[in-house]
Amino acid sequence: MKLVIREYLSMLKEAGELDSLLFDLLMNMKIIPLNRAESGGRQDGVDIPAIGNDPEDGRRKLFLFTAKCGDITRQEWDAAPNGIRASLNEILEGYLRTRVRPGHAKLPKKIVLVTGGALKQNVAQNWTNYVHEHTQIHSKYGEIEFEFWGGEELAPKIEDYLLDEYLFPESSRKNLRKTIALVDQNEDQPKYFYQLIDETLLSGNLPTDKKPGSVQKRRKALRLLHLSLSIIFHWGEEANNLRPAFLSAEYMVLRAWDWLRRNNLFECKKTMAGFIQLFFTYLTVGDHYAGKLQPYCYVQDGLFGYNMADEVEYPLRTFETIGTLASIGLSYWYIAQILEGETQQRYFDQASAIARMLENLIKSNPSAWTPLYDSHAIDIALGLLALTAANDQETAIEWVHGISSRIFYAYDSLGRHFPIASDSHEELIALEFGKAPPKEALTKLSTLLPLLADWFAILKLDEQYPDFYESVVHIFSHTNLQIWFPDNETENYLYCQNAGYVSGLTVDSIQLPPTLDELKTFIINLREQKQEFRSFSCFSKGYPALGLVASRHFRTPVIPAYWQYDVKE
């Protein structure tokens, strides 16, 4: 495990990543930070000042941590103005002079140079000489000493103080190692990491009361999950494959939210702070994953592969990517609603940037217009919500009209490449080779056609709707049109499985009205009857994006309230 941690530490390149890990480590070492490190917030060379007993000798000290990413080389040592030597000099000449609190003035001062890498041999002597020269008992500042924490020193500390045997047993460590071993593969979901999450949160070992010790155990469990996800994320970046990390991040925020909900922990500020950290890390992973997908969105047929199966695989790959990008963009958009100032604008901008990627993906890949499963209604709903949230009604209109036309043409004229009611890959292949059951049997029900009808109403497509209505009535007269709504039991399943299989109510045998005004009235009447979603914690506690992430991850139909409230008389 030390090797895994040390390798992870060496991957930390971004400012703030090492600082955040160091903060959590110090808390568990009972060396209490006086403030959390912030980007651009360094004070006279110090990233994190902290107070606590030194594990080396048991004495209470003022620790002054200065953190650097990567290996410490001669260039890093002498760089201006932010080199190692300059930072150490700032601490001695600035921080100790003006920033030490009166109550800490008489404590021994320990200056710690922290890096996830190593102290290179060609600079080791510089460090040794500096320490020998400046280790002293100063007449004004008292005792001053130095220590170096590199990857070799940090790894055992992280294992001893963060990877607690009680909260993170050997089975979880094995699951972490197995996930890392498979991080370059895409065939399956990262099931071993899912087991790690479930074991950490749901094994029954975590207390749920308000006692300080219980709160601390919960915070530690969430820190363990955050560290584990960070390790998988950075390992995935090294392997140039972030899909397992993204799936892990989705699963983690969903299961963590479910754990909070089931144990009535929303009012515990420290526990919620741990969840918020997980959620923002999910956004970070999603942002990096979107960055990996971005080049394929701006190239014609960018998601196409090069094998015989791609007549089928191309659309499947495309709609998975649509759902992925849309859920990430919507997560940014919804969280921006509760932020303020520049941070809020930055998150809105990121949501808009992902919507532009989505727009180009749809226009560059013809497969985005030919759903093969009825369940692609989930990805289409997410995509339309993301586009309209970014005020891209033009692309949404073009896409809704285009999908509808191609469905009718594919079914009526081609006899293939239309959305089938099941999620059977075998039936898709059989349909491609003319060996499937009759097409009427493959389209005995549809949730996609009613979804598209709703969007004709949302986007006010008065002129186009009559043709859509006529095509549905004549081409899909045998099809049972259905819309799924959640019920009072749905939230018990929403964050852990496909809730549509075990809860909710399906409104079936829908007969579309012939005019858009009548359709709007039908939608408004229906939505007013189905209000159970309002009690769901993701809505009442300000995280509606979680309902959409749950639909993408577990393939639960998207709750219609997300779009039906945009239908106006």
Side-chain angles (χ1 to χ4, degrees):
M1 198 67 203
K2 289 185 179 68
L3 179 62
V4 169
I5 297 169
R6 193 166 67 244
E7 189 70 20
Y8 158 66
L9 290 168
S10 72
M11 297 174 186
L12 299 181
K13 301 292 194 299
E14 298 294 328
E17 293 178 334
L18 181 59
D19 298 341
S20 178
L21 175 62
L22 179 61
F23 186 93
D24 288 344
L25 175 61
L26 294 176
M27 290 293 292
N28 280 7
M29 294 177 70
K30 293 184 170 53
I31 300 175
I32 307 304
L34 301 179
N35 58 263
R36 180 180 285 275
E38 298 178 357
S39 178
R42 171 176 290 197
Q43 297 179 334
D44 289 328
V46 175
D47 289 294
I48 300 178
I51 294 289
N53 294 333
D54 190 341
E56 296 296 319
D57 56 20
R59 299 165 63 203
R60 183 171 172 80
K61 298 178 183 178
L62 170 63
F63 291 84
L64 304 174
F65 293 92
T66 183
K68 298 287 184 179
C69 294
D71 294 333
I72 304 298
T73 64
R74 183 178 295 279
Q75 182 178 357
E76 286 285 333
W77 178 261
D78 289 317
N82 297 315
I84 305 299
R85 188 201 300 272
S87 295
L88 296 173
N89 287 341
E90 278 188 79
I91 296 172
L92 293 172
E93 298 167 8
Y95 194 96
L96 293 181
R97 184 190 302 272
T98 62
R99 295 191 179 275
V100 175
R101 301 177 186 180
H104 303 151
K106 295 183 179 180
L107 292 175
K109 317 301 187 299
K110 189 165 201 176
I111 299 168
V112 186
L113 173 59
V114 184
T115 176
L119 189 68
K120 289 298 186 179
Q121 187 173 0
N122 63 357
V123 79
Q125 191 60 47
N126 299 72
W127 165 255
T128 301
N129 291 340
Y130 191 95
V131 169
H132 284 165
E133 181 180 351
H134 293 92
T135 298
Q136 58 180 299
I137 299 178
H138 194 278
S139 59
K140 184 176 181 181
Y141 308 135
E143 186 176 346
I144 300 173
E145 55 186 301
F146 295 81
E147 191 169 359
F148 174 74
W149 291 4
E152 290 286 346
E153 292 78 17
L154 280 173
K157 285 181 170 62
I158 290 171
E159 186 169 39
D160 291 342
Y161 290 100
L162 281 177
L163 304 187
D164 185 278
E165 286 288 347
Y166 175 72
L167 290 172
F168 206 73
E170 181 57 30
S171 58
S172 294
R173 301 176 192 221
K174 288 180 179 177
N175 283 328
L176 181 58
R177 290 193 291 266
K178 289 178 181 177
T179 304
I180 291 170
L182 299 173
V183 79
D184 61 340
Q185 300 182 21
N186 270 334
E187 295 304 316
D188 298 310
Q189 294 186 329
K191 60 180 181 180
Y192 296 113
F193 199 78
Y194 293 176
Q195 291 173 15
L196 182 157
I197 294 167
D198 290 342
E199 186 175 62
T200 303
L201 288 177
L202 308 173
S203 63
N205 292 330
L206 284 179
T208 58
D209 57 71
K210 298 180 180 179
K211 296 177 182 178
S214 300
V215 173
Q216 181 61 22
K217 286 180 179 178
R218 293 197 295 270
R219 290 188 72 187
K220 188 169 184 178
L222 293 175
R223 286 192 188 113
L224 284 175
L225 292 180
H226 185 262
L227 172 62
S228 302
L229 178 60
S230 297
I231 290 173
I232 297 303
F233 171 43
H234 286 281
W235 222 279
E237 285 197 310
E238 286 293 303
N240 198 32
N241 181 24
L242 287 179
R243 183 173 181 271
F246 176 70
L247 293 174
S248 297
E250 279 188 323
Y251 190 84
M252 183 174 289
V253 293
L254 293 172
R255 300 302 284 130
W257 185 265
D258 202 31
W259 168 71
L260 291 170
R261 183 188 68 85
R262 291 178 182 276
N263 293 288
N264 298 313
L265 295 172
F266 291 124
E267 302 308 315
C268 179
K269 293 182 179 179
K270 292 184 177 180
T271 305
M272 273 301 294
F275 171 80
I276 291 169
Q277 184 183 33
L278 288 182
F279 187 83
F280 278 93
T281 299
Y282 153 74
L283 288 179
T284 299
V285 176
D287 183 43
H288 283 245
Y289 189 36
K292 290 284 186 182
L293 296 171
Q294 183 177 17
Y296 303 99
C297 298
Y298 290 86
V299 176
Q300 187 64 35
D301 294 309
L303 296 176
F304 192 76
Y306 301 95
N307 58 64
M308 292 298 292
D310 267 292
E311 283 292 319
V312 171
E313 296 302 326
Y314 182 26
L316 301 185
R317 187 182 306 122
T318 301
F319 280 99
E320 180 182 2
T321 306
I322 288 171
T324 296
L325 289 176
S327 64
I328 297 169
L330 288 165
S331 294
Y332 270 101
W333 189 80
Y334 273 111
I335 204 66
Q337 311 290 327
I338 59 175
L339 299 174
E340 296 178 349
E342 293 182 3
T343 303
Q344 182 187 60
Q345 189 58 52
R346 188 168 69 250
Y347 277 65
F348 277 134
D349 289 346
Q350 185 62 14
S352 296
I354 293 174
R356 287 194 297 273
M357 289 173 55
L358 193 58
E359 173 194 352
N360 281 277
L361 181 153
I362 291 168
K363 293 179 177 179
S364 300
N365 291 272
S367 55
W369 307 71
T370 55
L372 298 186
Y373 290 135
D374 182 66
S375 63
H376 283 151
I378 296 169
D379 308 295
I380 292 169
L382 293 172
L384 288 168
L385 286 168
L387 290 171
T388 52
N391 294 317
D392 190 358
Q393 273 75 13
E394 182 179 343
T395 301
I397 289 171
E398 185 180 357
W399 195 31
V400 167
H401 189 255
I403 288 175
S404 305
S405 300
R406 282 163 176 76
I407 288 174
F408 301 140
Y409 175 74
Y411 183 88
D412 203 32
S413 300
L414 294 181
R416 59 194 180 98
H417 294 167
F418 54 81
I420 65 174
S422 74
D423 288 333
S424 170
H425 192 267
E426 290 74 16
E427 286 187 340
L428 282 186
I429 299 298
L431 186 61
E432 188 69 22
F433 290 97
K435 298 181 179 180
K439 61 182 183 180
E440 292 80 7
L442 295 174
T443 54
K444 58 187 177 182
L445 64 88
S446 175
T447 62
L448 177 53
L449 291 173
L451 169 73
L452 293 171
D454 279 9
W455 280 92
F456 271 83
I458 293 166
L459 298 169
K460 301 176 182 179
L461 303 181
D462 298 75
E463 294 182 4
Q464 295 93 331
Y465 178 72
D467 288 341
F468 173 82
Y469 166 77
E470 291 294 334
S471 296
V472 171
V473 168
H474 291 100
I475 297 175
F476 289 101
S477 59
H478 62 284
T479 303
N480 187 336
L481 306 185
Q482 303 181 353
I483 302 177
W484 177 86
F485 289 88
D487 61 16
N488 290 324
E489 290 297 315
T490 295
E491 201 179 20
N492 292 326
Y493 308 101
L494 185 62
Y495 314 109
C496 57
Q497 65 182 86
N498 187 328
Y501 288 154
V502 291
S503 69
L505 173 67
T506 298
V507 177
D508 62 1
S509 302
I510 294 172
Q511 302 294 318
L512 294 180
T515 69
L516 203 60
D517 286 340
E518 290 175 292
L519 177 61
K520 290 177 182 178
T521 301
F522 171 75
I523 294 170
I524 292 169
N525 289 338
L526 193 58
R527 81 184 183 201
E528 295 306 314
Q529 298 169 25
K530 308 298 180 183
Q531 297 290 310
E532 287 81 0
F533 74 93
R534 291 186 178 276
S535 66
F536 291 6
S537 60
C538 63
F539 291 100
S540 63
K541 302 298 181 183
Y543 283 84
L546 290 174
L548 300 173
V549 175
S551 288
R552 202 221 70 80
H553 190 90
F554 293 114
R555 309 307 293 168
T556 300
V558 179
I559 297 171
Y562 281 104
W563 69 81
Q564 287 192 339
Y565 277 81
D566 289 328
V567 175
K568 311 295 182 184
E569 287 280 14

